[in-house]
Amino acid sequence: MWNRLFKRAPREVMDLPVFQELDRSRLPAHTAIIMDGNGRWAKGQGLLRTAGHAAGADTLKKILKAAIALELPALTIYAFSTENWKRPPVEVDYIMRLFFNRLMQEIDEMDEDNVKIRFIGRINELSPALQELTQKAEDQMKDNTGVQFNVAINYGAQDEILRATKKLMQRVQQGELSPEDVNENSFDDCLDTAGVPPVDFLIRTGGDMRVSNFLLWQSAYAELWFTDTNWPDFTPELFVEALKDFGKRERRFGGLENK
Ligand code: FPP
């Protein structure tokens, strides 16, 4: 099936022994990843923190390829939070240049892989060059039908919720929506992730067990999965292990059983 969908067949993942054990009927509709531990990985290797981010970008490409091979409907990654601006300017500068360069390099291949990209967060506060590139990427891939790949940059969930609330209030004020129609669905429509299913699986690497202001509304019923592995050491194999684990979870959504 994926041979039909993707020009470049990402065989690497399909050949993994763990892949054969995966129940593909029990994959998450929307997987979110907090890619943590780049700095600690670099320190452990005696490298600068920036080298950790470069290695993290390499890992991201492998995981996206895995998501493509697995035909995951949606993947959202936390690339830069609204709080990350507090880091030293050289690090912030490096990360922004990394986003620009990697995106520039990867646009055509992602397009060939039928990926549909979206950037979420306060994109209008990024440099004009990066904004232009994110727009170009979204435009180029807008008709693709493969993995919905959301990249959160300058993103904070509380900020997103407040922006969505303002949008909703405007719609009510302008008479497009009546107050009675303010519900989960109309609120969803005002989020940056509008149209993407709720997060059902949230992965965090790097050993910390918190959600750090990521997709708080969307993750209301998400299954959480943590690993001590730092993001640059995260592998497609570990990703498939995590997905296997997801398949075994009993999801009750507040009810008594999921049968
Ligand atoms: C967290 O590690 C990582 C980040 C804040 C940056 C994430 C960026 C990438 C993985 C680069 C690739 C992304 C794209 C879109 C090309 P940390 O620095 O917080 O690590 P630490 O907790 O060990 O200090």
Side-chain angles (χ1 to χ4, degrees):
M1 157 112 174
W2 48 268
N3 273 330
R4 187 163 53 77
L5 289 175
F6 307 109
K7 286 185 191 160
R8 201 181 314 256
R11 283 231 68 90
E12 202 180 306
V13 176
M14 320 260 320
D15 291 339
L16 293 173
V18 71
F19 184 87
Q20 312 306 326
E21 299 157 19
L22 187 64
D23 179 353
R24 295 185 67 190
S25 69
R26 292 179 68 88
L27 288 174
H30 186 174
T31 305
I33 308 183
I34 302 177
M35 313 177 290
D36 200 14
N38 291 349
R40 278 163 286 163
W41 177 87
K43 196 172 171 201
Q45 308 273 321
L47 300 169
L48 293 173
R49 290 179 58 80
T50 47
H53 299 312
D58 294 341
T59 299
L60 177 57
K61 179 165 182 177
K62 288 183 208 150
I63 299 306
L64 177 60
K65 285 284 185 186
I68 292 165
L70 293 162
E71 297 175 12
L72 294 187
L75 174 70
T76 302
I77 53 132
Y78 209 177
F80 195 86
S81 77
T82 46
E83 283 72 42
N84 285 151
W85 297 106
K86 293 181 210 149
R87 293 182 178 210
V90 280
E91 184 173 342
V92 171
D93 236 49
Y94 182 90
I95 293 175
M96 290 297 154
R97 270 186 292 122
L98 187 69
F99 291 159
F100 186 91
N101 294 336
R102 293 295 174 110
L103 185 57
M104 188 82 150
Q105 264 170 32
E106 303 295 340
I107 287 183
D108 288 342
E109 193 171 329
M110 283 192 281
D111 191 17
E112 282 172 26
D113 280 340
N114 200 19
V115 168
K116 187 170 180 175
I117 203 166
R118 186 191 299 183
F119 294 88
I120 64 170
R122 288 180 172 262
I123 302 304
N124 61 346
E125 291 173 357
L126 302 177
S127 74
L130 188 52
Q131 281 185 56
E132 206 176 301
L133 190 60
T134 56
Q135 190 61 55
K136 177 188 178 318
E138 287 185 352
D139 291 346
Q140 185 172 331
M141 292 179 236
K142 72 179 189 329
D143 296 325
N144 289 351
T145 54
V147 178
Q148 171 69 54
F149 180 43
N150 305 312
V151 181
I153 305 184
N154 194 19
Y155 175 89
Q158 291 179 337
D159 174 69
E160 181 195 27
I161 289 169
L162 288 173
R163 285 188 288 109
T165 306
K166 285 181 195 161
K167 224 187 272 180
L168 205 58
M169 283 165 74
Q170 255 170 8
R171 287 186 186 174
V172 171
Q173 255 172 1
Q174 287 164 359
E176 290 167 29
L177 195 75
S178 72
E180 294 73 44
D181 291 330
V182 173
N183 54 35
E184 285 89 342
N185 291 335
S186 54
F187 193 79
D188 261 339
D189 287 344
C190 293
L191 291 166
D192 295 351
T193 52
V196 184
V199 173
D200 39 19
F201 194 35
L202 175 65
I203 294 174
R204 181 175 186 139
T205 64
D208 287 327
M209 295 194 195
R210 49 179 176 257
V211 291
S212 298
N213 202 16
F214 189 43
L215 302 172
L216 296 180
W217 172 276
Q218 298 88 336
S219 298
Y221 286 100
E223 295 294 327
L224 309 181
W225 195 89
F226 300 100
T227 174
D228 286 338
T229 303
N230 289 320
W231 177 249
D233 283 332
F234 194 68
T235 56
E237 191 155 22
L238 201 49
F239 187 42
V240 175
E241 280 293 350
L243 293 166
K244 231 172 86 185
D245 218 28
F246 172 84
K248 290 185 204 140
R249 305 261 181 113
E250 189 198 346
R251 309 195 68 215
R252 293 193 298 274
F253 302 95
L256 291 181
E257 56 182 327
N258 188 27
K259 298 272 185 283

